[in-house]
Every structure is written in structure tokens, then in C-alpha cells.
Amino acid sequence: MSDAEQTRQKILDVSADEIHKNGFNATSLSVILEKCEISKGALYYHFTNKIELGYAVFEEIYVPMFLGMWEPALSVKDPIEGLCDFFNTVSNEMICDEAVCGCPLNNLCQEMANVDEGFRQRILNMQEQLNDLISSSLQKISNQLRNNIDYSQVSYFIVASFNGSMNLSRSSRNKELFQKVIAELCHYIKALKK
Amino acid sequence: MSDAEQTRQKILDVSADEIHKNGFNATSLSVILEKCEISKGALYYHFTNKIELGYAVFEEIYVPMFLGMWEPALSVKDPIEGLCDFFNTVSNEMICDEAVCGCPLNNLCQEMANVDEGFRQRILNMQEQLNDLISSSLQKISNQLRNNIDYSQVSYFIVASFNGSMNLSRSSRNKELFQKVIAELCHYIKALKK
DNA sequence: AATATAACCGACCGATTGGTTTGTGGCAAG
DNA sequence: CTTGCCACAAACCAATCGGTCGGTTATATT
């Protein structure tokens, strides 16, 4: 990787971290510059403006990370078990000492989807991708599941509930509460089976 | 109501609206002053600073509005039906023309719970109040429900899922999607019955 | 050696932010 | 009539924001 690419990557990594912690608007470019130990000129050489930097973080950091988490959970023999394991892992591994930051994509979604059309489109795209992933995984074992299941509806509900749970735990900073809600979510998912 | 009280109330109302639309940090005091047609001196006569204004909006506007929505839904003969009616009403009455703003309390929760301890405490307090409300309402008809129900867990899950659904609809701006997720939530709630 | 370009520096800019301070009209009490 | 306080108005402040721009350095090319 060339020097320039390294700088660009460092900007992306630091920005992803800062945006995750503070949200997009509250993230200051000057803080990013400090942590990267670069000048403003360097940043604006690689990115035309703040929002383009945000898009790049979304596409090059958040989306791969996001899919890298969900995909393995769904591409197992039993996606129902896979999902529950995934949710439980997330809820168990949650760190309570520091401020809980929640899912970066989910956060960005709440903050920016209504403000900026570029973010909104990217978020929508992600949501649809994830929904396809879940619903197709569930359909593969449809013979084991209840009849009359609207797979798209169920998938969106699972994602919505999981996000809602993360938000709850984020604001309450209560790991046990998070685990309880996740337990109920898993209870619901498992009830999809016959 | 005295003149002073009227100005104070107007500040609260306008601020509540602005914070609902833009979030707390993105809400500018100057915009509030314009819409209220008052000067900065007036605002700082009634409130010591921006965050105290935020607390006042939370306590005097959002909380009463919030409880005023949930309570009637739960204080009916069948709270299960009450909840489903409530959720369906919300999803049907949602306005898609303008930017969908979601639940102000939920938004504030995501934005501020990890940033400001004062907001976090107030939010936590609200969440517990709501959870008590739901779980006690469900317990009243426990004879009609399945055995082995963890009422607190179920209540938190309902709230988390509902919030997650609102967030989903907020970012997708898709009323039908919202209604589908709500339908699944109602499906889950009704399955609590024997 | 001269030139060109990529990669970056850092001073500067206008706009806006939350917040302070000084002043002032009106009304009520003495 | 005057004094004093309430309820503001309006100018002002430092800090910070995202963004611009002229200049510099290192490397590659001719």
C-alpha cells in the first residue's frame, strides 16, 4: 500500500471510530486531523468534503463490517440457531465500562437518514440487502417452519427488534437488560419453527 | 396565564418541535428565537442554558405527551388488543409527506443518553415507568396468557421492537413497511395469549 | 539539471454556535 | 413622584465549525 493509500485508510479508520462514538455531525474534522496527525490539506486532498468522507466511511468501513457480522450467522445449517447465537454473542460481548456506542450503521441511520438523501439511499440499500439475506436464509428451511410466514415481514421485524434492543441497551447501559430482551427475541425467532 | 408564563410556554412548545425535527444538538437557539419572535435575553431569562431548556422540554412536553399516548392503550379491558390498536393507529396515521420524525423521546434517547447524564437519567426513568405500566397491565390478564411469561422481559421487548419499527420506518420513509413490521409485532403480542 | 506532479502543510476565511452583558420600557409598591 | 423589580431587547463575545488556498516537499520523468 502506497503512502497516500495509507493516509487515506488512516483517515477512514479514525473517522469511522469518531463517527461511531459521536455521530456524524458531532464529529469534528479537527479532532480527526489530530488523531491522524495530518493537516487539513491532507484530508481535503483525499476527500472533497465532510459528507463525502462520511459516505466513504459508510461504504468502505461500516458496510463490510456489517455484512461480515450477519453473513456467517445466516450461512449455517440452521439460520434460526445461527441468528440466536449471533444475538447472544453480541449481547454477551457488550462492553459496559466505556460508553456503549451501539451499531454504527444503526446510529448513522437514525441521525442522517432524514437529513441527507445520500446517506438515506445507502442506508436503504443496506437494509434491503440485509433483509434479502435473512429472508432467503429462512426460506431455505421453510419446511421446518410454520406455514403462512411472510418472510420479508418477519425479517424486517427481526432486524427492527434487534436494533431496538441495541438502542435500549445503549441508553440504559444495562447489559442484563439487553440480554433479557435478546432472550425474548430468540424466543420469538425459535417460535417460527413448527 | 401571565405574559411571562406565556413566553416560557411558547419557548417550550417551539423548542419541543425543533428538537423533535432536528435533534437536540442540531437545534439552533437562533432558530427558536426567530420562531418565537423573541430575543436571546428572553430565552436566557427563563432558562439558564440550552441543556436546561432541553430538560424542561423533556419533562414538561415529551413525558406528558408520551404517557398520554401509552396509558389509554393499556388501561382498557384487554391491553393486548389495546396495544395492537395503538400500534396500528400510529402506523396508519403516520405522515409520509413531510420528513418522518419518529418518537421524540426515542430520538432524544439515541442522541443524548450516552452524551449527557442528565438526559440519560430522565430517559431511564421514563423507560422504567413505561415498562411498569405495560408489565402490570399484562399481569392483570395473566390468566388469559401463556405460562412462564417473564413480564418485564416481554414488556421491554415490546417497547424495543416498537421503537425499532419506528426507526426503520423513519429511515426508510416507507409507510407500508412500517405497517408490515407492526403487523408482525401484533402477531407476536397476540401469541402471548393461550 | 530542469520540470512536473503527487501528497501534503497550515494560515486564513466567513458563518454559526452557545452564552454574556448592558440597557430599558412598563408596572406596582411605597 | 420615585424607586425598584420584572421581563425582556439587542449588541457583543470567544470558540468552533467546515472549507479554501497559496505554498512546500519529495519523487519521478525528461
Side-chain angles (χ1 to χ4, degrees):
Chain A
M1 190 157 55
S2 72
D3 285 5
E5 278 178 85
Q6 265 184 323
T7 324
R8 191 189 131 89
Q9 197 58 43
K10 180 150 197 180
I11 294 173
L12 283 178
D13 291 339
V14 169
S15 300
D17 194 46
E18 284 296 308
I19 293 173
H20 186 194
K21 277 192 214 154
N22 317 311
F24 180 77
N25 283 313
T27 289
S28 157
L29 294 184
S30 57
V31 172
I32 294 176
L33 301 181
E34 278 176 30
K35 298 209 175 181
C36 288
E37 294 176 326
I38 59 167
S39 71
K40 198 162 255 188
L43 195 151
Y44 274 85
Y45 173 78
H46 290 284
F47 304 95
T48 62
N49 51 34
K50 190 188 181 186
I51 210 156
E52 288 294 332
L53 170 60
Y55 294 162
V57 168
F58 188 97
E59 289 167 356
E60 298 178 41
I61 308 281
Y62 289 162
V63 168
M65 194 175 80
F66 190 72
L67 292 179
M69 289 179 73
W70 282 86
E71 245 170 18
L74 288 161
S75 54
V76 293
K77 260 177 291 179
D78 187 346
I80 299 267
E81 284 299 322
L83 276 177
C84 289
D85 290 346
F86 170 54
F87 293 155
N88 281 315
T89 304
V90 171
S91 72
N92 286 325
E93 284 181 356
M94 200 184 78
I95 302 149
C96 281
D97 298 341
E98 303 176 357
V100 183
C101 294
C103 166
L105 270 172
N106 190 22
N107 297 353
L108 214 47
C109 168
Q110 332 264 308
E111 184 187 1
M112 299 305 290
N114 266 313
V115 178
D116 179 84
E117 190 61 19
F119 271 120
R120 189 170 155 264
Q121 289 298 336
R122 286 167 174 82
I123 289 162
L124 261 180
N125 186 11
M126 265 288 356
Q127 281 175 343
E128 279 174 20
Q129 265 187 264
L130 179 60
N131 197 64
D132 289 346
L133 198 63
I134 298 177
S135 56
S136 67
S137 300
L138 291 181
Q139 266 169 354
K140 279 181 192 161
I141 57 159
S142 59
N143 58 324
Q144 301 174 40
L145 304 181
R146 285 185 346 234
N147 295 329
N148 305 325
I149 286 184
D150 182 333
Y151 286 96
S152 170
Q153 175 170 312
V154 165
S155 301
Y156 274 119
F157 179 71
I158 291 174
V159 176
S161 298
F162 180 62
N163 284 338
S165 306
M166 289 211 65
N167 290 334
L168 182 65
S169 78
R170 196 160 93 95
S171 53
S172 67
R173 287 201 208 147
N174 188 332
K175 191 174 182 170
E176 289 174 23
L177 177 56
F178 187 28
Q179 288 169 332
K180 282 180 75 174
V181 181
I182 288 297
E184 191 61 28
L185 175 56
C186 291
H187 185 273
Y188 159 81
I189 297 177
K190 285 174 179 166
L192 292 172
K193 287 191 177 178
K194 275 175 186 167
Chain B
M1 189 156 57
S2 73
D3 286 3
E5 279 178 85
Q6 265 185 322
T7 23
R8 191 189 131 91
Q9 197 59 44
K10 180 150 197 180
I11 294 172
L12 283 178
D13 291 340
V14 169
S15 301
D17 194 45
E18 284 296 309
I19 293 173
H20 186 194
K21 277 193 214 155
N22 317 311
F24 180 76
N25 282 314
T27 288
S28 157
L29 295 184
S30 57
V31 172
I32 294 176
L33 301 182
E34 277 175 31
K35 298 208 173 181
C36 287
E37 294 176 323
I38 60 168
S39 72
K40 199 161 254 186
L43 195 152
Y44 275 87
Y45 173 78
H46 289 284
F47 305 95
T48 62
N49 51 33
K50 190 188 181 185
I51 210 156
E52 287 295 331
L53 170 61
Y55 293 162
V57 167
F58 188 97
E59 289 166 356
E60 298 177 42
I61 309 280
Y62 288 163
V63 168
M65 195 176 80
F66 190 73
L67 293 179
M69 289 179 71
W70 283 87
E71 244 171 17
L74 288 161
S75 54
V76 292
K77 261 177 291 179
D78 187 347
I80 300 266
E81 285 299 323
L83 276 177
C84 290
D85 290 347
F86 171 54
F87 293 154
N88 281 313
T89 304
V90 171
S91 73
N92 286 325
E93 285 182 355
M94 199 183 79
I95 303 150
C96 282
D97 296 342
E98 302 176 359
V100 184
C101 294
C103 166
L105 270 172
N106 190 21
N107 298 352
L108 215 46
C109 169
Q110 333 261 308
E111 184 186 2
M112 300 304 292
N114 266 312
V115 179
D116 180 82
E117 190 61 21
F119 270 120
R120 189 171 155 265
Q121 289 297 336
R122 285 168 174 81
I123 289 162
L124 261 180
N125 186 12
M126 265 290 352
Q127 282 176 342
E128 280 174 20
Q129 265 187 265
L130 179 60
N131 197 64
D132 289 347
L133 199 64
I134 298 177
S135 57
S136 67
S137 299
L138 291 181
Q139 266 169 354
K140 279 181 192 161
I141 58 160
S142 59
N143 57 324
Q144 301 173 42
L145 304 182
R146 288 185 346 234
N147 294 330
N148 306 324
I149 285 184
D150 182 332
Y151 287 95
S152 170
Q153 176 170 311
V154 165
S155 301
Y156 274 119
F157 179 71
I158 292 174
V159 176
S161 298
F162 180 62
N163 283 339
S165 307
M166 289 211 66
N167 290 334
L168 182 65
S169 78
R170 196 160 92 96
S171 52
S172 68
R173 289 202 205 146
N174 187 332
K175 191 174 182 171
E176 287 173 24
L177 178 55
F178 188 28
Q179 289 169 333
K180 282 181 75 174
V181 181
I182 287 298
E184 192 62 28
L185 174 56
C186 291
H187 184 273
Y188 160 81
I189 297 177
K190 284 174 180 167
L192 292 172
K193 287 190 178 179
K194 275 175 185 167

